[in-house]
Amino acid sequence: MILEFYGLECSHCEAMKPLVERLRKEGVAVESLEVWHQKENIEKLHTYDKGHCGGVPFFINPATSKWICGEASYEELKSLVE
């Protein structure tokens, strides 16, 4: 499973949507957590971010602690689950 932290109006997050959907279609579980309007998700972001990114989009595999900050290629995003 991958956690995706994003902001609703974030253009970088919007650019990542097709890649996240592609992962889901391939059977990867992606939990998306909006942090700009859903304040309860901010604490979760800080718990996982630990100063790595400080913003969105932020992707992390909690099982491996591998993470990506910002926009990334599909290959980079997929590497979180491999």
Side-chain angles (χ1 to χ4, degrees):
M1 177 186 68
I2 294 176
L3 296 177
E4 171 196 23
F5 293 92
Y6 72 98
L8 201 54
E9 296 87 6
C10 170
S11 61
H12 302 287
C13 302
E14 190 66 31
M16 293 302 294
K17 274 187 179 181
L19 305 183
V20 170
E21 286 307 311
R22 183 174 167 190
L23 279 181
R24 286 185 173 127
K25 286 179 183 176
E26 293 178 2
V28 176
V30 181
E31 182 178 349
S32 298
L33 301 162
E34 202 283 332
V35 298
W36 287 3
H37 300 281
Q38 303 295 319
K39 302 299 181 192
E40 64 275 9
N41 291 330
I42 292 174
E43 188 175 320
K44 290 179 187 179
L45 171 62
H46 293 303
T47 299
Y48 287 104
D49 184 353
K50 298 180 180 153
H52 297 303
C53 188
V56 292
F58 177 69
F59 299 88
I60 189 164
N61 180 331
T64 64
S65 298
K66 290 176 19 178
W67 55 272
I68 294 174
C69 180
E71 288 187 50
S73 69
Y74 177 75
E75 290 75 22
E76 291 170 307
L77 195 57
K78 180 132 180 159
S79 76
L80 287 179
V81 295
E82 296 174 338

